[in-house]
């Protein structure tokens, strides 16, 4: 498709190309000094003690679950209104995801009240997802976690650059997980980062990322080590120098691009309010500083979403749905039926939600085109 306004667009230019060229010319392509620099600068930017670059955001979530020692018999509370990777990562360890309701159509994040209702003696952790880059109520979630002695994992895949009360999203829980997938606020194509302030968890994350080996190929290349032991069952979730080099350039653009996203979001909200009051806009009020990753709207109850998506597509405008609720997927049915009651707000949002285009290079005219064309679609398919 040749979209007039795509859902998302990259900000990739000469700096990334030159950075990649430099790595290729260095003749060291796997995890080494560029990745170390990427980890250090990322950690500094968000104020985390430790950051480990990994192959993707899903690997980051898997390592977080493993580092916390989750396994069969353990339960982890997670929203259903998320990308399937959040729940899958819990299942990789043998633990069970237990889905909790979101707050409301105005706040699509997991509800602290719903979280508390799902706690039982098997509950070990809460995995929050900062939907669209909008902060969950972390103060309330932390209080609950402390009261019940639970760990917090943050799926901050949408939230890079977001903050709450002066603390970066991803730094509120025991472990924070980021994704640098192609459509995220900063990208390396495929890639991710797992962060923690806890030294012991950091040691486990470091080992788990690379086969549980006590030294790395890089250390041996540097002449720092000759042999190694394998002390736990680890994985190969390493990131390479090529993508770390892209990540370093992208990290420098993050602040400026997130500011642009916030500006466009304000523009969307004021235009939608004025011209399409029948459309609901979640997160008009939000906590802290958002990374404005997504622009979700809720269509009127009676609107035909499929036809509206097709209409927008015929005009060159790409939209998406975030998300089809995870508990309704086939492979989650047997898991969720016995112990999970219905999630009516999640299910309603799953049916009415439409994600509009949002990327830093969008113009005010693009926003107007999207909103006006959406208006035509709503008129045509009432
Ligand atoms: C993108 C995403 C992930 C997974 O990240 P990958 O890098 O694609 O593996 C996990 N959770 C959420 C909410 C995401 O949007």
């Amino acid at each position: 498709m040749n979209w007039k306004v795509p859902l998302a667009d990259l900000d990739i230019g000469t700096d990334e190309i030159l950075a990649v060229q430099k790595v290729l010319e260095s003749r060291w392509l796997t995890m080494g000094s560029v990745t170390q620099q990427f980890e250090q600068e990322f950690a500094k930017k968000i104020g985390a003690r430790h950051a480990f670059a990994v192959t993707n955001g899903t690997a980051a979530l898997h390592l977080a679950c493993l580092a916390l020692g989750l396994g069969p018999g353990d339960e982890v509370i997670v929203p259903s209104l998320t990308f399937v990777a959040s729940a899958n990562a819990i299942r990789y360890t043998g633990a069970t995801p237990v889905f909790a309701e979101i707050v409301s159509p105005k706040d699509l994040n997991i509800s602290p009240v719903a979280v508390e209702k799902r706690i039982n003696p098997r509950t070990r952790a809460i995995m929050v997802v900062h939907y669209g880059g909008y902060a969950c109520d972390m103060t309330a979630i932390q209080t609950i976690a402390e009261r019940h002695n639970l760990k917090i994992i943050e799926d901050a895949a949408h939230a890079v650059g977001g903050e709450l009360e002066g603390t970066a999203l991803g730094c509120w829980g025991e472990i924070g997980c980021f994704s640098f997938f192609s459509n995220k606020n900063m990208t390396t194509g495929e890639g991710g980062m797992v962060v923690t302030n806890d030294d012991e968890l950091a040691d486990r994350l470091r080992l788990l990322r690379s086969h549980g080996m006590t030294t790395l190929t890089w250390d041996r290349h540097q002449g720092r080590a000759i042999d190694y032991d394998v002390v736990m069952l680890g994985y190969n979730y390493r990131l390479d120098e090529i993508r770390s080099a892209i990540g370093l350039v992208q990290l420098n653009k993050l602040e400026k691009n997130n500011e642009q996203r916030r500006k466009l979001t304000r523009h969307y909200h004021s235009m939608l309010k004025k011209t399409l009051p029948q459309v609901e806009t979640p997160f008009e009020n939000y906590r802290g500083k958002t990374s404005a990753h997504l622009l979700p709207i809720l269509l009127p109850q009676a609107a035909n979403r499929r036809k509206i998506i097709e209409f927008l597509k015929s005009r060159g405008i790409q939209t998406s749905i975030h998300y089809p609720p995870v508990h309704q997927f086939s492979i989650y049915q047997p898991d969720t039926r016995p112990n999970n009651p219905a999630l009516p707000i999640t299910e309603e949002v799953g049916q009415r939600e439409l994600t509009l285009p949002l990327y830093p290079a969008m113009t005010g005219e693009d926003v107007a085109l999207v909103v006006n064309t959406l208006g035509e679609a709503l008129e045509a398919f009432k």
Side-chain angles (χ1 to χ4, degrees):
M1 277 293 294
N2 213 342
W3 300 103
K4 201 186 288 173
V5 188
L7 181 70
D9 197 18
L10 301 172
D11 175 13
I12 294 275
T14 323
D15 287 349
E16 283 86 351
I17 293 167
L18 290 175
V20 167
Q21 188 178 341
K22 219 172 125 195
V23 168
L24 293 174
E25 286 167 359
S26 80
R27 309 191 61 76
W28 183 266
L29 302 189
T30 185
M31 200 167 74
S33 64
V34 180
T35 305
Q36 258 169 18
Q37 193 192 340
F38 183 33
E39 291 171 343
Q40 280 161 11
E41 291 193 15
F42 190 90
K44 191 162 156 237
K45 177 81 102 196
I46 72 163
R49 255 174 91 81
H50 306 277
F52 301 99
V54 290
T55 43
N56 55 59
T58 309
L61 289 166
H62 185 197
L63 291 186
C65 293
L66 290 167
L68 291 175
L70 298 173
D74 296 333
E75 292 186 1
V76 180
I77 300 171
V78 63
S80 173
L81 195 73
T82 181
F83 184 52
V84 68
S86 319
N88 282 352
I90 297 165
R91 283 181 63 177
Y92 296 160
T93 68
T96 304
V98 171
F99 297 108
E101 186 59 288
I102 57 172
V103 177
S104 77
K106 291 186 198 310
D107 179 349
L108 308 184
N109 279 319
I110 195 165
S111 149
V113 176
V115 167
E116 195 142 35
K117 282 190 191 143
R118 290 285 192 274
I119 295 171
N120 67 44
R122 290 181 298 279
T123 311
R124 293 280 313 283
I126 305 166
M127 184 188 284
V128 299
V129 181
H130 303 293
Y131 180 110
Y134 294 90
C136 296
D137 187 349
M138 292 312 294
T139 316
I141 301 228
Q142 262 186 350
T143 307
I144 293 168
E146 275 163 26
R147 192 182 309 143
H148 299 273
N149 195 20
L150 305 175
K151 305 292 184 198
I152 298 174
I153 300 170
E154 285 177 89
D155 180 342
H158 298 179
V160 63
E163 273 180 34
L164 181 63
E165 292 171 22
T167 297
L169 302 183
C171 292
W172 279 79
E174 267 70 27
I175 305 182
C177 303
F178 295 88
S179 164
F180 308 134
F181 181 64
S182 192
N183 63 12
K184 302 282 160 72
N185 285 26
M186 58 174 278
T187 184
T188 59
E190 298 280 355
M193 194 74 79
V194 53
V195 306
T196 186
N197 287 326
D198 182 310
D199 296 345
E200 259 175 60
L201 287 174
D203 288 342
R204 290 177 62 81
L205 289 167
R206 186 183 296 108
L207 285 166
L208 286 163
R209 172 179 61 174
S210 195
H211 303 292
M213 288 163 68
T214 51
T215 70
L216 301 167
T217 316
W218 173 244
D219 300 318
R220 294 189 294 279
H221 180 73
Q222 297 280 291
R224 284 198 289 255
I226 296 166
D227 54 8
Y228 60 84
D229 190 13
V230 174
V231 294
M232 62 175 78
L233 185 66
Y235 295 78
N236 174 1
Y237 282 165
R238 296 183 301 266
L239 193 68
D240 57 79
E241 298 284 89
I242 301 164
R243 288 183 284 176
S244 293
I246 299 172
L248 275 166
V249 179
Q250 289 274 302
L251 188 61
N252 276 324
K253 296 177 173 177
L254 181 67
E255 209 63 59
K256 184 172 101 290
N257 281 341
N258 280 0
E259 187 50 44
Q260 197 57 24
R261 288 170 173 278
R262 287 187 285 269
K263 204 170 125 199
L264 290 161
T265 299
R266 288 193 294 273
H267 191 49
Y268 258 122
H269 282 175
S270 80
M271 240 199 119
L272 285 163
K273 208 186 208 67
K274 238 180 279 163
T275 62
L276 301 173
Q278 71 273 42
V279 166
E280 283 183 68
T281 46
F283 299 116
E284 258 187 80
N285 298 306
Y286 57 90
R287 300 169 197 91
K289 183 173 167 190
T290 179
S291 62
H293 173 55
L294 298 176
L295 198 298
I297 62 166
L298 301 183
L299 297 172
Q301 300 270 7
N304 185 327
R305 182 171 64 181
R306 192 172 289 272
K307 288 224 164 108
I308 288 168
I309 292 172
E310 284 300 321
F311 184 93
L312 290 166
K313 183 177 167 192
S314 75
R315 300 292 188 87
I317 296 168
Q318 187 185 15
T319 56
S320 181
I321 295 166
H322 294 87
Y323 288 92
V326 175
H327 73 284
Q328 295 182 317
F329 287 134
S330 304
I331 67 155
Y332 277 89
Q333 294 292 312
D335 259 4
T336 55
R337 243 191 251 122
N339 59 349
N340 273 330
L343 302 169
I345 312 174
T346 297
E347 287 168 25
E348 188 198 321
V349 168
Q351 277 169 14
R352 291 175 56 204
E353 198 274 343
L354 186 69
T355 304
L356 302 181
L358 184 62
Y359 50 90
M362 254 184 119
T363 63
E365 289 87 79
D366 292 330
V367 171
L369 179 69
V370 172
V371 173
N372 292 332
T373 314
L374 174 66
E376 281 184 58
L378 284 164
E379 195 53 40
F381 306 107
K382 275 202 276 218

